[in-house]
C-alpha cells in the first residue's frame, strides 16, 4: 500500500520538541503475512497485546487467560495457560517476557521457552502498559504514574505522567512515549513532555510502539486504523485502515531489527514490511 504524500500537520495540537528532526515517516507498507489465530469456528478469542521476538510471535489472550505463541510464518507453536487475565506484554529477552495483570496488581515474568512463570512482581496498585528498557521495567500504575523497577520488583523511582488516564507506554533510547484515549505524549525519562500529538479524529487509542527512527505507531480500536506520527510530533498519517483488514485492532509491535510491524485484531494477526524513505 503506497501512502498518500499529503500529510497533515497539526500545529495547534502538539508541543514541538526543542530540537528539530528530519521528516522521516514511512512511505509504504507491504503485507507480508496475515493469519487467523482462531482454531475453531466456536472458539472465542480476545487478543489485547503482542510482541515479536526473533521468529516468535507472542499474544496475550484475555478470554481464555493465556499466552498464544506462533512462529513468524503463521504456524502455531503452543499456548501457555495463566492463572490471571493478561493485559500488556513486553519483551525482556528472546526467551522471556513480562506481562501486566491490571486489577490483580501483579507483573509476571514468563519464560516462553520453558512455558513457566519465573517470578511474580506485586505492584502497588492496578497496572497497565509495560515496557522494558536498559534492565528496567516501566509500568503504568493506576493510569496516573509510571513505576520504574528492576526485575525483582524493587521500585527505583517513579515518573509523573502528563495525564491521569494513560493506557500504554513504550520506552526506547532516552524517550518515553505514552498514550491516553486521544493523545500521544513523548517525554524524557524524567517525565518532561517534549511534545504532544492530538487530533480530534482519533478518540480511542489503545496501544503504542516506535520504530528505530523514533516514529510512533498507535492503534485506534474505534476507527479501525493504525496511525503513524513522526518522531517530532509534527506529521501523521493513517498507515493502515479497514481496507487492510483491520477490525478493532488492539495490539501493535515494531520489530526494529527487521522493520516489520505486527498488528492484531481480536483473532487475526498481520505482519507488514515497513519501507522507509
Amino acid at each position: 500500500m503506497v501512502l498518500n504524500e499529503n500529510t497533515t500537520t497539526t500545529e495547534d495540537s502538539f508541543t514541538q520538541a526543542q530540537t528539530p528532526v528530519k521528516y522521516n515517516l514511512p512511505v509504504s507498507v507491504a503485507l507480508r503475512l496475515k493469519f487467523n489465530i482462531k482454531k475453531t469456528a466456536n472458539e472465542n478469542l480476545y487478543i489485547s497485546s503482542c510482541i515479536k521476538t526473533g521468529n516468535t510471535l507472542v499474544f496475550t489472550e484475555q478470554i481464555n487467560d493465556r499466552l498464544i505463541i506462533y512462529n513468524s510464518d503463521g504456524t502455531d507453536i503452543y499456548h501457555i495457560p495463566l492463572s490471571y487475565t493478561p493485559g500488556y506484554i513486553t519483551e525482556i529477552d528472546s526467551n522471556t517476557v513480562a506481562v501486566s495483570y491490571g486489577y490483580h496488581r501483579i507483573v509476571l515474568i514468563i519464560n516462553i521457552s520453558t512455558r513457566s512463570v519465573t517470578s511474580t512482581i506485586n505492584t502497588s496498585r492496578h497496572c497497565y502498559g509495560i515496557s522494558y528498557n536498559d534492565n528496567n521495567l516501566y509500568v503504568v500504575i493506576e493510569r496516573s504514574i509510571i513505576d520504574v523497577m528492576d526485575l525483582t520488583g524493587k521500585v527505583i523511582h517513579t515518573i509523573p505522567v502528563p495525564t491521569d488516564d494513560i493506557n500504554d507506554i513504550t520506552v526506547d533510547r532516552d524517550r518515553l512515549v505514552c498514550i491516553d484515549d486521544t493523545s500521544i505524549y513523548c517525554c524524557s525519562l524524567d517525565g518532561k513532555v517534549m511534545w504532544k500529538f492530538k487530533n480530534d479524529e482519533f478518540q480511542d487509542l489503545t496501544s503504542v510502539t516506535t520504530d528505530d527512527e523514533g516514529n510512533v505507531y498507535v492503534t485506534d480500536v474505534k476507527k479501525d486504523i493504525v496511525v503513524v506520527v513522526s518522531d517530532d510530533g509534527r506529521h501523521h498519517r493513517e498507515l493502515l485502515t479497514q481496507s487492510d483488514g483491520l477490525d478493532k485492532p488492539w495490539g501493535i509491535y515494531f520489530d526494529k531489527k527487521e522493520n516489520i510491524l505486527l498488528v492484531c485484531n481480536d483473532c487475526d494477526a498481520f505482519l507488514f514490511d515497513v519501507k522507509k524513505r
Side-chain angles (χ1 to χ4, degrees):
M1 184 183 82
V2 178
L3 298 178
N4 190 330
E5 290 294 327
N6 296 319
T7 59
T8 302
T9 34
T10 51
E11 295 286 350
D12 295 330
S13 59
F14 66 86
T15 302
Q16 180 184 352
Q18 292 183 356
T19 304
V21 291
K22 64 180 181 179
Y23 171 49
N24 58 359
L25 279 177
V27 294
S28 66
V29 292
L31 179 65
R32 171 181 287 211
L33 179 69
K34 174 186 177 181
F35 61 93
N36 190 280
I37 302 173
K38 185 183 294 187
K39 289 305 174 187
T40 67
N42 296 324
E43 185 179 25
N44 293 318
L45 301 182
Y46 190 83
I47 305 298
S48 61
S49 188
C50 58
I51 62 166
K52 180 180 182 294
T53 171
N55 291 320
T56 302
L57 311 177
V58 187
F59 305 91
T60 58
E61 202 277 296
Q62 295 192 332
I63 291 180
N64 301 286
D65 296 348
R66 59 186 175 176
L67 298 184
I68 299 178
I69 317 296
Y70 265 73
N71 289 308
S72 59
D73 63 1
T75 55
D76 188 11
I77 305 180
Y78 52 82
H79 299 170
I80 301 177
L82 303 168
S83 301
Y84 308 97
T85 301
Y88 291 90
I89 187 171
T90 188
E91 175 191 8
I92 294 177
D93 59 41
S94 59
N95 295 312
T96 313
V97 299
V99 182
S100 63
Y101 291 82
Y103 292 101
H104 296 286
R105 304 184 181 190
I106 60 170
V107 171
L108 294 187
I109 309 299
I110 301 171
N111 186 307
I112 58 175
S113 295
T114 62
R115 312 183 197 185
S116 60
V117 175
T118 58
S119 64
T120 300
I121 296 172
N122 294 307
T123 58
S124 58
R125 287 173 287 170
H126 300 157
C127 53
Y128 298 91
I130 186 170
S131 184
Y132 180 74
N133 184 66
D134 196 21
N135 298 317
N136 290 323
L137 286 171
Y138 292 72
V139 184
V140 177
I141 303 295
E142 207 69 37
R143 302 192 188 276
S144 58
I145 59 171
I146 295 168
D147 276 349
V148 183
M149 59 184 72
D150 63 23
L151 291 179
T152 70
K154 178 183 177 182
V155 176
I156 300 166
H157 64 275
T158 296
I159 302 173
V161 291
T163 176
D164 290 335
D165 199 25
I166 293 297
N167 299 318
D168 195 19
I169 180 180
T170 187
V171 179
D172 183 42
R173 299 180 297 183
D174 57 350
R175 303 195 317 169
L176 178 159
V177 180
C178 55
I179 60 171
D180 59 19
D181 289 344
T182 62
S183 302
I184 302 169
Y185 303 87
C186 179
C187 306
S188 61
L189 293 185
D190 59 2
K192 181 181 178 181
V193 177
M194 300 165 63
W195 54 259
K196 172 186 176 181
F197 173 87
K198 181 178 174 63
N199 186 299
D200 290 340
E201 293 181 16
F202 312 133
Q203 295 294 320
D204 207 344
L205 306 181
T206 47
S207 296
V208 61
T209 189
T210 55
D211 66 19
D212 59 339
E213 295 180 340
N215 300 309
V216 180
Y217 303 74
V218 293
T219 48
D220 186 320
V221 71
K222 189 172 291 185
K223 287 198 67 179
D224 299 329
I225 58 174
V226 168
V227 179
V228 58
V229 178
S230 60
D231 59 350
D232 61 354
R234 285 183 172 272
H235 306 270
H236 78 279
R237 288 177 175 172
E238 291 187 8
L239 186 66
L240 298 164
T241 67
Q242 285 182 329
S243 65
D244 299 290
L246 299 193
D247 181 16
K248 298 180 177 60
W250 198 283
I252 190 168
Y253 181 83
F254 195 98
D255 181 342
K256 297 178 177 65
K257 294 180 180 178
E258 297 189 52
N259 278 337
I260 292 176
L261 185 67
L262 169 63
V263 183
C264 57
N265 297 332
D266 56 357
C267 60
D268 294 316
F270 306 82
L271 290 171
F272 295 95
D273 290 304
V274 180
K275 299 178 182 179
K276 307 291 182 63
R277 281 182 181 270

